[in-house]
Amino acid sequence: GGMNSWGEVDALTYQGASVYSVDIALAAGNNEFKVATADWSTVDFGAIAGDEVVVEGAIKTLAKKGANMHFNAPSDGVYRFTITGPSSDSPTLMVNSIN
Protein backbone atom coordinates (compact mmCIF):
# COMPACT_ATOMS: atom_id res chain seq x y z
CA GLY A 1 0.00 0.00 0.00
CA GLY A 2 0.92 3.61 0.41
CA MET A 3 3.16 2.72 3.35
CA ASN A 4 5.56 0.83 1.05
CA SER A 5 4.93 2.47 -2.35
CA TRP A 6 2.62 -0.42 -3.30
CA GLY A 7 5.63 -2.77 -3.39
CA GLU A 8 6.30 -6.24 -2.04
CA VAL A 9 8.81 -5.29 0.64
CA ASP A 10 6.42 -6.21 3.47
CA ALA A 11 5.71 -9.85 2.63
CA LEU A 12 3.37 -11.93 4.74
CA THR A 13 4.97 -14.90 6.53
CA TYR A 14 3.13 -18.19 7.04
CA GLN A 15 2.52 -18.81 10.76
CA GLY A 16 0.77 -22.19 10.36
CA ALA A 17 -2.92 -23.15 10.61
CA SER A 18 -3.90 -20.93 7.61
CA VAL A 19 -2.50 -17.77 9.27
CA TYR A 20 -0.11 -15.28 7.65
CA SER A 21 1.24 -12.09 9.22
CA VAL A 22 3.60 -9.18 8.77
CA ASP A 23 4.72 -6.40 11.14
CA ILE A 24 4.88 -2.95 9.52
CA ALA A 25 6.10 0.35 11.00
CA LEU A 26 3.47 3.01 10.25
CA ALA A 27 3.25 6.72 10.75
CA ALA A 28 0.11 8.01 12.44
CA GLY A 29 -2.67 8.75 10.00
CA ASN A 30 -4.40 7.15 7.04
CA ASN A 31 -2.69 4.19 5.38
CA GLU A 32 -4.25 2.90 2.16
CA PHE A 33 -3.47 -0.70 1.15
CA LYS A 34 -4.48 -4.05 -0.33
CA VAL A 35 -3.12 -7.58 0.09
CA ALA A 36 -1.70 -8.60 -3.27
CA THR A 37 1.16 -10.01 -5.30
CA ALA A 38 3.14 -7.87 -7.73
CA ASP A 39 1.15 -9.16 -10.72
CA TRP A 40 -2.20 -8.21 -9.07
CA SER A 41 -3.66 -11.53 -10.30
CA THR A 42 -2.16 -14.36 -8.25
CA VAL A 43 -3.39 -12.70 -5.04
CA ASP A 44 -5.53 -9.54 -4.90
CA PHE A 45 -7.63 -9.02 -1.77
CA GLY A 46 -9.24 -5.83 -0.58
CA ALA A 47 -12.34 -4.54 1.13
CA ILE A 48 -15.90 -5.39 0.31
CA ALA A 49 -17.28 -2.33 -1.53
CA GLY A 50 -18.60 0.22 0.95
CA ASP A 51 -16.64 -1.28 3.87
CA GLU A 52 -13.14 0.06 3.21
CA VAL A 53 -12.22 1.20 6.75
CA VAL A 54 -10.07 -1.16 8.83
CA VAL A 55 -10.57 -0.78 12.59
CA GLU A 56 -7.72 -1.84 14.88
CA GLY A 57 -8.53 -5.15 16.59
CA ALA A 58 -11.64 -5.84 14.46
CA ILE A 59 -11.92 -8.77 12.05
CA LYS A 60 -12.56 -7.73 8.44
CA THR A 61 -13.64 -10.20 5.74
CA LEU A 62 -11.74 -9.60 2.49
CA ALA A 63 -12.98 -9.85 -1.08
CA LYS A 64 -11.13 -10.95 -4.22
CA LYS A 65 -10.26 -7.88 -6.29
CA GLY A 66 -11.85 -5.78 -3.55
CA ALA A 67 -11.50 -2.06 -2.92
CA ASN A 68 -8.46 -0.38 -1.37
CA MET A 69 -8.62 -0.48 2.43
CA HIS A 70 -7.89 2.40 4.81
CA PHE A 71 -6.32 1.99 8.25
CA ASN A 72 -6.06 5.17 10.35
CA ALA A 73 -3.10 4.43 12.63
CA PRO A 74 -3.75 6.30 15.90
CA SER A 75 -0.02 6.81 16.52
CA ASP A 76 3.39 6.07 15.03
CA GLY A 77 4.28 2.46 15.76
CA VAL A 78 4.52 -1.11 14.56
CA TYR A 79 1.30 -2.83 13.54
CA ARG A 80 0.74 -6.52 12.88
CA PHE A 81 -1.39 -7.35 9.84
CA THR A 82 -2.79 -10.89 10.16
CA ILE A 83 -4.59 -12.73 7.37
CA THR A 84 -6.49 -15.89 8.35
CA GLY A 85 -8.00 -18.58 6.08
CA PRO A 86 -8.63 -21.29 5.29
CA SER A 87 -11.00 -19.78 2.71
CA SER A 88 -9.07 -18.56 -0.31
CA ASP A 89 -12.22 -16.73 -1.44
CA SER A 90 -12.86 -14.68 1.71
CA PRO A 91 -10.00 -14.69 4.21
CA THR A 92 -10.08 -12.30 7.15
CA LEU A 93 -7.76 -9.47 8.16
CA MET A 94 -6.97 -8.09 11.61
CA VAL A 95 -4.59 -5.21 12.39
CA ASN A 96 -3.17 -4.74 15.90
CA SER A 97 -0.55 -2.49 17.44
CA ILE A 98 2.39 -4.47 18.83
CA ASN A 99 4.16 -1.60 20.60
Side-chain angles (χ1 to χ4, degrees):
M3 71 281 273
N4 63 15
S5 300
W6 296 93
E8 292 183 296
V9 296
D10 297 308
L12 292 160
T13 301
Y14 185 60
Q15 305 299 318
S18 300
V19 176
Y20 296 79
S21 69
V22 61
D23 297 342
I24 303 174
L26 299 177
N30 184 46
N31 295 275
E32 185 177 19
F33 69 99
K34 288 183 87 174
V35 177
T37 51
D39 64 6
W40 293 98
S41 60
T42 305
V43 174
D44 180 1
F45 286 106
I48 295 169
D51 187 26
E52 291 88 2
V53 175
V54 174
V55 176
E56 184 176 358
I59 295 172
K60 174 174 283 306
T61 298
L62 302 180
K64 283 187 175 181
K65 301 197 182 292
N68 290 354
M69 294 176 279
H70 296 269
F71 173 63
N72 189 16
S75 60
D76 292 357
V78 178
Y79 293 85
R80 178 164 294 149
F81 291 70
T82 303
I83 306 291
T84 303
S87 172
S88 61
D89 291 325
S90 58
T92 62
L93 166 71
M94 183 179 290
V95 178
N96 289 302
S97 172
I98 61 169
N99 290 346

